[in-house]
Amino acid sequence: QVQLVESGGGLVQPGGSLRLSCAASGLVLDYYAIGWFRQAPGKEREGVSCISSSDGSTDYADSVKGRFTISIDNAKNTVYLQMNSLKPADTAVYYCAAGDYSLLSTEYDYWGQGTQVTVSS
């Protein structure tokens, strides 16, 4: 069974940092792109970042570009999202997903259960 497990969320002050992890099992990570998505209450789910294991390509939403960095550790079958200079607008449940390289949620086949990120003073 494919399983994606997010971790690393929590409460952080504006300007702070968090690193989210997405541990994948039951799939060959090299065959998938991994995307990070987020959804705040009352808002549409949006793509944050994605990475292609095959060629290393990355993409970011304009709202996080320059602040967030996605990376992959193939040996650990884990993808990370380093989030710096966090803003209250970044508050959301963050999900990782495996699928096709895209910032569109419809392109992804497998999803984790999410981890809460709250940016507040």
Side-chain angles (χ1 to χ4, degrees):
Q1 293 181 333
V2 174
Q3 188 173 28
L4 302 173
V5 179
E6 303 95 336
S7 62
L11 175 64
V12 65
Q13 293 183 343
S17 298
L18 286 172
R19 188 185 72 166
L20 305 183
S21 299
C22 175
S25 61
L27 78 169
V28 180
L29 195 59
D30 191 55
Y31 293 168
Y32 295 87
I34 299 295
W36 284 99
F37 297 81
R38 65 187 183 187
Q39 188 166 24
K43 296 183 179 179
E44 188 74 15
R45 183 173 296 184
E46 63 174 340
V48 176
S49 184
C50 59
I51 186 167
S52 171
S53 180
S54 61
D55 63 12
S57 298
T58 60
D59 198 10
Y60 299 90
D62 288 342
S63 59
V64 307
K65 194 168 296 182
R67 299 187 298 121
F68 291 11
T69 303
I70 191 169
S71 61
I72 187 168
D73 186 334
N74 288 315
K76 295 182 178 180
N77 234 40
T78 300
V79 174
Y80 303 94
L81 185 68
Q82 178 67 44
M83 306 187 296
N84 299 325
S85 301
L86 284 162
K87 306 173 181 179
D90 297 318
T91 296
V93 177
Y94 283 70
Y95 301 88
C96 67
D100 293 329
Y101 183 78
S102 176
L103 291 179
L104 299 175
S105 61
T106 52
E107 298 298 316
Y108 289 82
D109 303 309
Y110 306 104
W111 292 81
Q113 63 186 2
T115 185
Q116 177 71 48
V117 172
T118 302
V119 184
S120 177
S121 59

